[in-house]
């Protein structure tokens, strides 16, 4: 198990966080830009919470439970999630699937939308985790790279498989055994996040754009191409286009991909690197084609038929947001019951119909068809076998690698 080092984040890691807060997933919620409601980004002054806390790592031995579970006598679970990542009633006052869970089990869910950015949230819970204390949360949703970090530090409870029968049986094969959590001993996916190529047919003159090579080399797209400010997505898609596997990326491979993207910057082929604020530019045609997140495109297409997407022949990147029980959680058994509940196909279908990201639950198609046949046919929500086979994840990086890779990417995009 990797020892937690309470050092300050590197300049490159801080820059990556600022990008996420100001233009990435932390800047705009998954629906707020499309609904034009605004998200109220966090002040970057909160970065100070990520500085060294001077607290030694909590010692964990052998994966044994590190908390006394009070689930039996306290029928509650404290659930922290990203904003706009749960089904909501028409009057926006209730979460139907959570209400149904409470009605069935008697377990009350305190649901809090307090995750705006992975690093910012890590800063909130790090002092308690490092000190071996309860964070006040029983279930959290973290993106795979940060989930891997918490597992390395021993800050996540090992799951009791006996309380996860639906999750074990229904987890899609695409997500069963990531290198950072083989066999899903500590986590289960909440949703998959596919990274694809999107384009506006009006802006491209009706032409399809379906490769990173086309994005970087087609003179007709010059100055109207976008890439994402998330390193793993943009570099990962470029690696695939170069015939390299992001799941086995070496330093030489990574440097080659950075060099390829740098050429696109130097010759002004790339307009800019963005978070999901590319949505408005793509809809207007100011960006003709870009690397994009699948959930954004599904939502955008409902209002703009000119927006299309393509899965490159070389493959596409995928990541996951994952349910985890933080160390010392007070209600692990209740949290596991809630995790398992979302792997029941009827429940998973209701969630997928609202959030529009990849559903990690097998057997959900028939249930989603009852809700909306178009969504059930959308491979950005339910990938077919052919599409799933083309998905790739960026391998887990060591702390040293992450610092070095982020520094190179920050220099590329001028962050």
């Amino acid at each position: 198990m990797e020892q937690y080092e309470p050092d300050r984040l590197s300049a490159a890691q801080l820059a990556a966080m600022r990008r996420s807060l100001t233009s990435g997933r932390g800047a705009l919620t998954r629906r707020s830009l499309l609904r034009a409601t605004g998200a109220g980004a966090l002040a970057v002054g909160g970065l100070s919470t990520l500085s060294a806390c001077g607290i030694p790592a909590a010692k964990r031995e052998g994966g044994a439970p590190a908390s006394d579970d009070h689930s039996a006598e306290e029928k509650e679970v404290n659930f922290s999630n990203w904003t706009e990542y749960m089904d909501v009633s028409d009057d926006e006052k209730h979460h139907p699937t959570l209400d149904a869970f409470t009605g069935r089990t008697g377990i009350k869910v305190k649901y809090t939308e307090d995750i705006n950015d992975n690093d910012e949230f890590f800063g909130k819970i790090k002092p308690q985790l490092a000190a071996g204390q309860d964070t006040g949360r029983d279930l959290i949703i973290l993106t795979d790279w940060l989930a891997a970090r918490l597992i390395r530090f021993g800050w996540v409870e090992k799951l009791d498989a006996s309380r996860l029968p639906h999750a074990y049986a229904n987890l899609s094969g695409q997500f069963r055994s990531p290198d950072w959590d083989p066999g899903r001993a500590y986590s289960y996916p909440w949703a998959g996040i596919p990274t694809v190529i999107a384009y506006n047919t009006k802006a491209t003159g009706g032409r399809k754009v379906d490769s990173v090579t086309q994005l970087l080399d087609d003179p007709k797209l010059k100055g109207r191409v976008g890439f994402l400010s998330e390193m793993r997505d943009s570099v990962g898609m470029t690696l695939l286009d170069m015939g390299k596997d992001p799941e086995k990326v070496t330093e030489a491979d990574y440097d080659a991909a950075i060099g390829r993207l740098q050429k696109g910057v130097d010759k002004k082929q790339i307009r800019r690197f963005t978070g999901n604020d590319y949505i408005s530019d793509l809809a207007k045609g100011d960006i003709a084609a870009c690397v994009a997140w699948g959930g954004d495109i599904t939502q955008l297409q409902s209002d703009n038929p000119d927006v299309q997407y393509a899965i490159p022949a070389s493959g596409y990147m995928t990541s996951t947001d994952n349910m985890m029980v933080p160390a010392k959680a007070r209600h692990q058994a209740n949290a596991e019951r809630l995790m398992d509940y979302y792997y029941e196909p009827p429940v998973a279908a209701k969630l997928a119909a609202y959030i529009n990201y990849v559903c990690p639950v097998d057997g959900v198609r028939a249930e989603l068809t009852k809700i909306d046949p178009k969504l059930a046919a959308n491979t950005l929500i339910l990938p077919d076998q052919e599409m799933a086979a083309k998905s790739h994840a960026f391998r887990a990086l060591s702390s040293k690698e992450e610092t070095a890779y982020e520094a190179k990417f920050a220099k590329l995009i001028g962050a």
Side-chain angles (χ1 to χ4, degrees):
M1 181 175 294
E2 182 175 322
Q3 180 74 7
Y4 170 60
E5 296 291 344
D7 295 330
R8 299 182 67 90
L9 293 181
S10 69
Q13 289 170 318
L14 288 171
M17 179 186 168
R18 289 190 184 95
R19 291 198 305 274
S20 190
L21 287 170
T22 57
S23 64
R25 294 177 66 193
L28 298 167
T29 67
R30 286 162 173 75
R31 289 171 181 265
S32 62
L33 190 145
L34 295 170
R35 293 166 61 185
T37 60
L42 293 171
V44 176
L47 289 172
S48 61
T49 64
L50 295 181
S51 299
C53 59
I55 301 172
K59 187 174 179 61
R60 303 288 303 281
E61 300 290 350
S67 62
D68 294 323
D69 198 343
H70 298 269
S71 293
E73 65 269 24
E74 298 175 1
K75 294 293 185 179
E76 62 185 81
V77 60
N78 297 296
F79 183 5
S80 284
N81 200 354
W82 296 73
T83 53
E84 304 286 352
Y85 221 13
M86 178 65 74
D87 57 303
V88 179
S89 60
D90 290 340
D91 62 8
E92 298 189 355
K93 295 181 179 180
H94 303 280
H95 298 292
T97 58
L98 289 177
D99 292 346
F101 174 78
T102 298
R104 181 198 297 184
T105 64
I107 300 172
K108 295 182 179 179
V109 182
K110 181 182 178 182
Y111 184 71
T112 308
E113 294 181 331
D114 61 344
I115 304 178
N116 299 285
D117 171 83
N118 283 288
D119 274 320
E120 182 267 343
F121 185 71
F122 179 58
K124 288 181 183 179
I125 63 177
K126 180 180 66 174
Q128 292 95 339
L129 291 172
Q133 299 172 352
D134 178 15
T135 66
R137 300 167 174 86
D138 304 303
L139 188 63
I140 57 178
I141 307 289
L142 298 178
T143 306
D144 44 21
W145 61 267
L146 183 55
R149 183 189 298 175
L150 265 64
I151 292 172
R152 291 199 311 266
F153 293 158
W155 290 353
V156 181
E157 295 291 352
K158 190 170 184 177
L159 300 173
D160 185 338
S162 70
R163 291 195 284 257
L164 296 160
H166 295 97
Y168 181 81
N170 296 332
L171 176 59
S172 170
Q174 181 181 359
F175 302 111
R176 276 200 175 270
S177 196
D179 64 352
W180 50 270
D181 187 16
R184 291 289 179 181
Y186 295 91
S187 69
Y188 269 91
W190 178 254
I193 307 167
T195 302
V196 299
I197 292 177
Y199 58 99
N200 184 315
T201 54
K202 278 190 176 180
T204 65
R207 293 183 305 121
K208 183 178 183 179
V209 180
D210 60 3
S211 72
V212 170
T213 292
Q214 197 172 354
L215 290 176
L216 292 175
D217 295 337
D218 187 342
K220 294 182 180 179
L221 298 177
K222 184 174 182 178
R224 298 186 297 153
V225 168
F227 276 78
L228 292 169
S229 58
E230 295 290 337
M231 179 268 286
R232 288 165 178 82
D233 295 309
S234 287
V235 175
M237 290 290 280
T238 305
L239 285 166
L240 289 170
D241 189 71
M242 297 169 66
K244 302 294 184 179
D245 186 352
E247 296 170 74
K248 301 176 182 178
V249 60
T250 65
E251 184 177 0
D253 293 337
Y254 185 85
D255 289 347
I258 290 290
R260 179 94 169 91
L261 288 166
Q262 185 66 58
K263 290 180 180 178
V265 172
D266 293 344
K267 66 181 182 181
K268 303 189 185 308
Q269 181 78 6
I270 297 174
R271 182 185 183 94
R272 63 191 182 108
F273 291 82
T274 74
N276 58 2
D277 49 328
Y278 64 81
I279 292 174
S280 58
D281 284 346
L282 181 63
K284 292 184 294 185
D286 291 341
I287 286 180
C290 61
V291 175
W293 287 308
D296 292 337
I297 301 310
T298 296
Q299 294 166 22
L300 184 56
Q301 284 182 319
S302 63
D303 297 320
N304 191 333
D306 295 325
V307 175
Q308 300 294 322
Y309 75 92
I311 303 298
S314 59
Y316 68 101
M317 296 300 295
T318 189
S319 57
T320 50
D321 282 337
N322 307 276
M323 295 182 281
M324 311 178 80
V325 179
K328 294 291 185 178
R330 190 173 176 86
H331 310 104
Q332 178 172 348
N334 291 343
E336 289 168 338
R337 289 188 69 179
L338 184 57
M339 292 171 70
D340 194 62
Y341 168 74
Y342 278 101
Y343 273 78
E344 297 178 17
V347 180
K350 292 175 183 176
L351 179 66
Y354 185 82
I355 68 174
N356 295 167
Y357 277 78
V358 172
C359 178
V361 182
D362 276 346
V364 79
R365 190 177 304 278
E367 297 294 336
L368 189 54
T369 299
K370 297 175 186 177
I371 299 172
D372 189 333
K374 290 184 178 180
L375 292 179
N378 188 333
T379 55
L380 291 179
I381 298 174
L382 297 180
D384 55 25
Q385 188 173 3
E386 180 182 0
M387 181 171 171
K390 291 184 177 181
S391 70
H392 297 265
F394 210 101
R395 72 167 173 83
L397 300 175
S398 67
S399 297
K400 183 178 180 180
E401 286 177 321
E402 188 170 350
T403 297
Y405 286 17
E406 283 288 4
K408 293 173 183 178
F409 188 70
K411 183 179 179 180
L412 166 73
I413 69 176

